[in-house]
Amino acid sequence: MQGRTMKYQLRRLVIVHATTPMHMPSGRITAIDPRGGAAVLGDNGVGKTTTLRILPLFFGHLPSQIVSTGQGQEPMVRFVLPTDASAIAFEYQRGSDNEDDIRLVVIRRRRDDPDVPVYRLYRCGFRKELFVDDGRFLDDDETQQKATALGIQTTSKLSTAEYRAVILRA
């Protein structure tokens, strides 16, 4: 690859079954395409600022670097991902414009410590069927089973440090 620059581009931020202003799981999937700019509109308290604060997670920032806890604030991961079926997904283009170079980073909370994120990479773009089946949101294990059934390659669960090494090529 000498003399050739790899192209990386965030294509879509997808928030799955995240927290609502009433601190309840949303029961919906929200997507934002940041290419070329995006307008995030809505009433006060619907999650516009929280959604924008999520973007640095793609680049390997720690949630505590984005939102500090204290003064009555919940840790970011627990706040944004209220259940084991909640997820933040970043679809990105890796390399060429070829569909084979689209990847998906999925962030979930650790089952045994809901304040700590875990990451998993999927060799595909966002696919709703990885997160919802028959109207029910899927947890990480169920998503992994679905990916295997669909023939989608995935990584094991990665810590923030392991994810940073992959995404930043450290």
Side-chain angles (χ1 to χ4, degrees):
M1 286 245 201
Q2 288 185 352
R4 202 170 137 217
T5 308
M6 287 290 280
K7 174 183 164 187
Y8 291 84
Q9 181 180 30
L10 182 59
R11 295 169 44 113
R12 191 166 26 165
L13 160 63
V14 183
I15 303 169
V16 179
H17 199 45
T19 295
T20 66
M22 304 304 290
H23 299 283
M24 299 294 293
S26 67
R28 67 177 186 250
I29 295 173
T30 303
I32 297 172
D33 182 344
R35 296 172 292 178
V40 182
L41 307 170
D43 294 332
N44 287 340
V46 296
K48 299 179 301 292
T49 301
T50 300
T51 298
L52 294 174
R53 285 182 170 174
I54 289 171
L55 283 171
L57 293 176
F58 173 70
F59 301 100
H61 285 266
L62 296 171
S64 61
Q65 292 173 305
I66 300 167
V67 176
S68 58
T69 56
Q71 299 160 1
Q73 263 187 289
E74 274 187 281
M76 183 180 189
V77 174
R78 187 183 326 166
F79 176 74
V80 175
L81 304 174
T83 74
D84 290 342
S86 302
I88 300 166
F90 295 102
E91 180 183 87
Y92 69 101
Q93 188 76 36
R94 178 185 170 273
S96 71
D97 289 333
N98 188 326
E99 285 292 312
D100 289 339
D101 282 334
I102 295 176
R103 300 291 188 271
L104 189 68
V105 175
V106 177
I107 305 171
R108 298 202 188 241
R109 67 185 199 174
R110 270 184 44 179
R111 192 176 295 254
D112 63 338
D113 187 348
D115 297 335
V116 176
V118 290
Y119 301 77
R120 205 185 279 272
L121 301 172
Y122 293 78
R123 193 177 183 128
C124 67
F126 178 80
R127 295 176 64 169
K128 184 177 178 181
E129 65 265 29
L130 290 173
F131 299 92
V132 179
D133 187 29
D134 220 9
R136 187 178 64 77
F137 287 92
L138 305 177
D139 66 21
D140 181 63
D141 292 338
E142 293 167 318
T143 296
Q144 188 65 14
Q145 290 170 2
K146 183 72 86 159
T148 299
L150 293 169
I152 299 169
Q153 294 177 354
T154 68
T155 64
S156 59
K157 292 178 185 177
L158 304 172
S159 69
T160 300
E162 292 166 326
Y163 169 71
R164 283 176 60 96
V166 171
I167 204 71
L168 299 176
R169 300 213 175 256

